[in-house]
Amino acid sequence: MSKKEIVGYVKKETMMVVVFVALAVGFVGGVLYSAYKSAPEKDAPPQGHSQVSNVQASGILELEKETALHPDNAEAWVQLGNLYFDANQVDKAILAYNRSLALVPDNPDVLTDLGVMYRRKGRPQEAIKAFDRAIQANPRQEAAYFNKGVVFLHDLKKRDEAIKAWEALVRVNPMAKVQSGELVMELIENIKAKKP
């Protein structure tokens, strides 16, 4: 064979350029498409407002049907309460959690979520009662201790009670952390360091 180029074949260098250009065009096209699809809709609610997704709405509808047909299904009430919780439908979540607790009174997870919903509703005393019931049902229910401290500190303005709740949490789990990654133990020390 001679060194002449064979007709019908592409040089390796040319193929590499074509592949690179195709990848670049695909990437740019993908970025533009994603930006277009993620742009806020004109009628979308402002950021921070609750918007129930289609999946949540269909799940809620299914569980509302299930609880209407089988009102003794405690797990369906819990799942319905969780969907209402996620959709920030506070009153409905409280109702669903209480229906579940009427059937299974000592579920610490449900009691903790109920406490959070009472806090969102602006009923801090009921929140504390729910957290206390959760802790009584499961003395290792870390979320209940932590949320109890939050309610005491921010809603009831009882700094010392918040510290006591968090110290109880640290006794259960010395390595417990807040969402930011800070140890609860450090949070307690920071609050104690501030003048009341």
Side-chain angles (χ1 to χ4, degrees):
M1 277 180 123
S2 69
K3 291 192 173 190
K4 289 184 177 180
E5 292 184 27
I6 301 172
V7 177
Y9 287 93
V10 178
K11 285 187 187 179
K12 182 178 178 182
E13 294 82 17
T14 306
M15 183 53 84
M16 295 296 281
V17 169
V18 169
V19 168
F20 177 75
V21 169
L23 286 172
V25 168
F27 176 76
V28 171
V31 169
L32 292 174
Y33 180 76
S34 307
Y36 168 75
K37 289 306 262 181
S38 66
E41 297 175 24
K42 287 182 182 178
D43 298 330
Q47 291 283 337
H49 286 74
S50 175
Q51 181 178 2
V52 179
S53 71
N54 289 340
V55 173
Q56 283 177 315
S58 66
I60 288 172
L61 186 59
E62 288 301 314
L63 286 166
E64 285 174 340
K65 289 177 187 175
E66 172 61 26
T67 54
L69 292 171
H70 303 100
D72 58 340
N73 184 341
E75 185 56 33
W77 284 111
V78 172
Q79 291 175 15
L80 182 58
N82 291 342
L83 286 176
Y84 286 144
F85 182 113
D86 293 341
N88 203 29
Q89 295 183 19
V90 176
D91 291 327
K92 290 181 177 184
I94 290 171
L95 177 66
Y97 287 144
N98 277 318
R99 294 294 294 269
S100 170
L101 290 167
L103 299 166
V104 181
D106 295 324
N107 183 324
D109 296 325
V110 174
L111 287 162
T112 301
D113 289 343
L114 177 63
V116 172
M117 289 293 94
Y118 278 135
R119 179 176 188 241
R120 284 191 195 168
K121 181 72 176 167
R123 296 166 58 184
Q125 295 297 345
E126 285 89 348
I128 295 294
K129 288 177 189 173
F131 296 139
D132 283 341
R133 283 180 60 197
I135 292 165
Q136 185 177 9
N138 177 9
R140 301 194 62 79
Q141 186 72 8
E142 293 181 28
Y145 288 106
F146 184 77
N147 285 308
K148 182 178 174 181
V150 169
V151 171
F152 274 129
L153 184 67
H154 296 290
D155 301 320
L156 298 174
K157 308 299 182 204
K158 294 184 176 182
R159 176 181 169 270
D160 292 339
E161 294 298 318
I163 291 170
K164 286 179 189 174
W166 290 331
E167 286 174 337
L169 170 56
V170 170
R171 284 191 294 276
V172 169
N173 178 6
M175 300 308 293
K177 295 181 180 181
V178 298
Q179 279 185 321
S180 67
E182 178 184 27
L183 289 171
V184 172
M185 188 181 321
E186 293 170 349
L187 173 68
I188 294 168
E189 293 307 316
N190 290 338
I191 290 174
K192 285 181 176 179
K194 294 178 184 177
K195 299 280 183 192

